[in-house]
């Protein structure tokens, strides 16, 4: 068992207590449940106590010699950050497309010219399992350095069984070996493969009859995602794919209304999706339906920023009652970043969200977007000992000083894995060895 951890005397300890049963909405997204001079006692990887330093000293003072003490004086302590939408496992980069975009080419124009998703698909197909593993492992290290302790990872850069399987197996291996938890999503419905361009329904049949059942049988994913977009999968095709996943125990997710209004938000509510992501062009009707059904809106301001597009209206969604989460959408084409803190900055600067709301969106609401709200996302007794400590003394300053990595310390499963902004080299980052 790991040594007890005593995080002491934080300037502000953001607990988000009481939000494990459902994501926060509307005004509740601003209720951070802050404890000043706050402390946390973690033992066997699980939070045992949360309160003021005085309260925890009274309870654990006679055991200080047993614990690793982390001095959080003058610092902000939050739950470990959660990234609920990434394309973590991939090969290759697309900086050439960045230059094309700067010269006026649109996302769909680049994709239809053989770039975009298809370019990364070719690189990922060509990469070995070991290459994908090593490159993705290095990305996870960078996520960790930016305070992220759990990520969702999608497949979707194969769109044929062998490469989809390779991506999912790499994600599984990363979850086993890296200290960051990796939650897998099958996204064979990321694009229409070139060979099915004239007969997309046949590819839908392949997904429904062959690939989805295999993924479920092998236990390689928890979620099933589809890119519901004009020129990709229609709402009806998307419904067929998501319902097929449900029959095999895969929870629906959906890339919805990113480029045009396409009834993706409405579909998310109809099929009972756990989240609908992007939503730049979502209709008022669709957002109202999502709010009614409690579908988490996972917003990706880094993608809009990189594509030089108008961001989703986070303010409107929150006011409508949609539970909002934030994510990097880490991918090589439209959001090549691992900095969730910067995404939080963009939530304030580009989407009308408040500093309190973006913390909620990157912790407990993000946890609910990947079905982990009962385990992570808040600092409460019984939850995983996942904690991020920032070298600022209040949560407002975290958003005020933008584009800076303020992460000082990260605790994952009750083990200090980042200290002084650096990875702890003495750790193997193996879950088996840190438990």
């Amino acid at each position: 068992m790991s040594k007890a951890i005593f995080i002491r005397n934080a300037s502000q300890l953001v607990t988000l207590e009481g939000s494990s049963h459902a994501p926060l909405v509307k005004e509740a997204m601003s209720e951070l449940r802050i404890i000043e001079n706050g402390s946390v006692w973690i033992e066997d990887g699980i939070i045992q106590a949360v309160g003021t330093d005085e309260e925890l000293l009274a309870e654990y003072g006679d055991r200080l010699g047993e614990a690793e003490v982390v001095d959080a004086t003058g610092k902000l302590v939050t739950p470990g950050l959660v990234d609920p939408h990434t394309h973590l496992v991939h090969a290759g980069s697309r900086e050439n497309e960045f230059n094309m975009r700067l010269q006026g080419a649109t996302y769909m124009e680049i994709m239809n010219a053989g770039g975009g998703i298809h370019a990364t698909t070719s690189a990922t197909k060509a990469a070995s399992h070991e290459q994908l593993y090593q490159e993705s492992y290095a990305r996870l290290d960078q996520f960790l350095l930016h305070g992220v302790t759990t990520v969702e990872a999608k497949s979707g850069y194969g769109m044929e069984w062998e490469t989809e399987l390779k991506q999912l197996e790499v994600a599984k291996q990363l979850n086993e070996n890296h200290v960051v938890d990796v939650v897998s999503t099958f996204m064979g419905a990321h694009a229409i493969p070139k060979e099915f361009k004239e007969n997309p329904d046949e590819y839908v049949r392949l997904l429904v009859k062959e690939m989805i059942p295999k993924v479920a049988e092998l236990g390689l994913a928890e979620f099933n995602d589809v890119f519901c977009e004009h020129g990709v999968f229609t709402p009806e095709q998307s419904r067929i794919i998501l319902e097929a996943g449900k029959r095999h125990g895969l929870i629906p997710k959906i890339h919805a209304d990113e480029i045009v209004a396409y009834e993706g938000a409405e579909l998310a509510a109809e099929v009972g999706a756990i989240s609908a992501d992007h939503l730049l062009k979502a209709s008022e009707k669709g957002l109202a339906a999502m709010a009614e059904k409690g579908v988490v809106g996972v917003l990706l301001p880094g993608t809009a920023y990189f594509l030089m597009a108008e961001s989703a209206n986070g303010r409107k969604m929150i006011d409508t009652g949609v539970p909002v989460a934030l994510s990097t959408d880490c991918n090589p084409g439209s959001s090549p970043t691992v900095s969730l803190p910067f995404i939080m900055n963009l939530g304030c600067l580009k989407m009308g969200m408040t500093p309190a709301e973006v913390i909620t969106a990157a912790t407990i609401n993000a946890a609910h977007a990947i079905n982990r709200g009962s385990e992570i996302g808040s600092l409460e007794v019984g939850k995983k000992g996942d904690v991020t400590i920032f070298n600022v003394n209040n949560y407002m300053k975290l958003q005020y000083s933008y584009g800076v990595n303020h992460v000082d310390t990260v605790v994952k499963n009750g083990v200090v894995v980042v200290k002084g902004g650096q990875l702890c080299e003495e750790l193997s980052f193996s879950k088996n060895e840190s438990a």
Side-chain angles (χ1 to χ4, degrees), residues 43-113:
E43 199 164 351
D44 297 331
I46 302 298
I47 296 172
Q48 305 296 326
V50 180
T52 65
D53 194 59
E54 182 179 6
E55 290 169 340
L56 266 64
L57 271 180
E59 185 173 357
Y60 292 98
D62 58 348
R63 296 185 57 197
L64 289 182
E66 303 174 27
E68 179 178 354
V69 177
V70 178
D71 183 6
T73 301
K75 295 181 172 64
L76 170 71
V77 175
T78 74
L81 302 184
V82 179
D83 195 327
H85 180 132
T86 84
H87 300 263
L88 172 74
V89 181
H90 68 266
S93 62
R94 285 157 39 195
E95 63 272 13
N96 59 313
E97 295 178 12
F98 178 55
N99 191 52
M100 293 170 65
R101 195 175 303 113
L102 291 174
Q103 297 180 52
T106 67
Y107 179 87
M108 293 305 293
E109 286 171 347
I110 291 170
M111 183 170 166
N112 290 334

Side-chain angles (χ1 to χ4, degrees), residues 284-301:
E284 291 189 8
K285 178 183 176 182
L287 294 178
M290 284 178 58
E292 181 181 355
K293 293 296 181 65
V295 180
V296 180
V298 178
L299 306 186
L300 315 166

Side-chain angles (χ1 to χ4, degrees), residues 64 154 178 204-205 428:
L64 289 182
K154 304 178 190 296
H178 200 286
V204 172
R205 189 205 68 79
S428 67

Side-chain angles (χ1 to χ4, degrees), residues 35 37 49 76 164 176 194 215 222 243 294 329 338 351 364:
I35 300 174
N37 301 317
L76 170 71
E164 292 291 319
E176 292 169 349
K194 295 177 183 178
V215 169
E222 183 174 342
E243 291 289 358
D329 190 19
V338 297
M351 298 170 62
I364 190 61

